[in-house]
Amino acid sequence: MPNIKSAKKRVLVNKAKALQNKAARSALKTDIKKFEAAVAGGNRSEAEGAYKVAVKAVDKAVGHGILHKNSAAHKKSGMTLKLNKLA
């Protein structure tokens, strides 16, 4: 346990940020799973709506530093291919 006041604060801030990141990652995964479920169901219009939500969530995750931009591009590319195959 740190003794210095600023080090104690860093521990508390890091815990809070870790919880925020965990919640954001969980929400991102949920959005992606909803898209995957819509694709598996074969419903094009539902999949398109879920695709827009998922892509927006991925872009937000990049902006917040949760995902690397190349990882986000990889995910979005894969989702786009799945959506296009659905037609």
Side-chain angles (χ1 to χ4, degrees):
M1 188 67 194
N3 294 322
I4 298 168
K5 186 177 179 181
S6 62
K8 290 178 184 177
K9 181 179 178 182
R10 292 279 9 123
V11 168
L12 294 175
V13 169
N14 287 338
K15 281 184 185 176
K17 288 292 184 183
L19 288 174
Q20 289 174 358
N21 287 338
K22 187 172 186 177
R25 272 194 306 271
S26 177
L28 173 66
K29 287 179 183 179
T30 301
D31 289 336
I32 292 172
K33 285 179 185 176
K34 285 180 183 176
F35 168 74
E36 299 286 345
V39 169
N43 187 350
R44 173 87 179 172
S45 60
E46 185 180 324
E48 285 176 350
Y51 172 79
K52 288 180 182 178
V53 172
V55 167
K56 186 173 182 179
V58 168
D59 288 337
K60 276 189 174 183
V62 171
H64 290 292
I66 294 164
L67 270 182
H68 190 272
K69 64 179 183 176
N70 291 351
S71 176
H74 181 80
K75 287 182 187 299
K76 291 193 299 187
S77 175
M79 287 190 291
T80 304
L81 288 173
K82 287 180 184 176
L83 183 66
N84 289 339
K85 283 183 183 177
L86 193 61

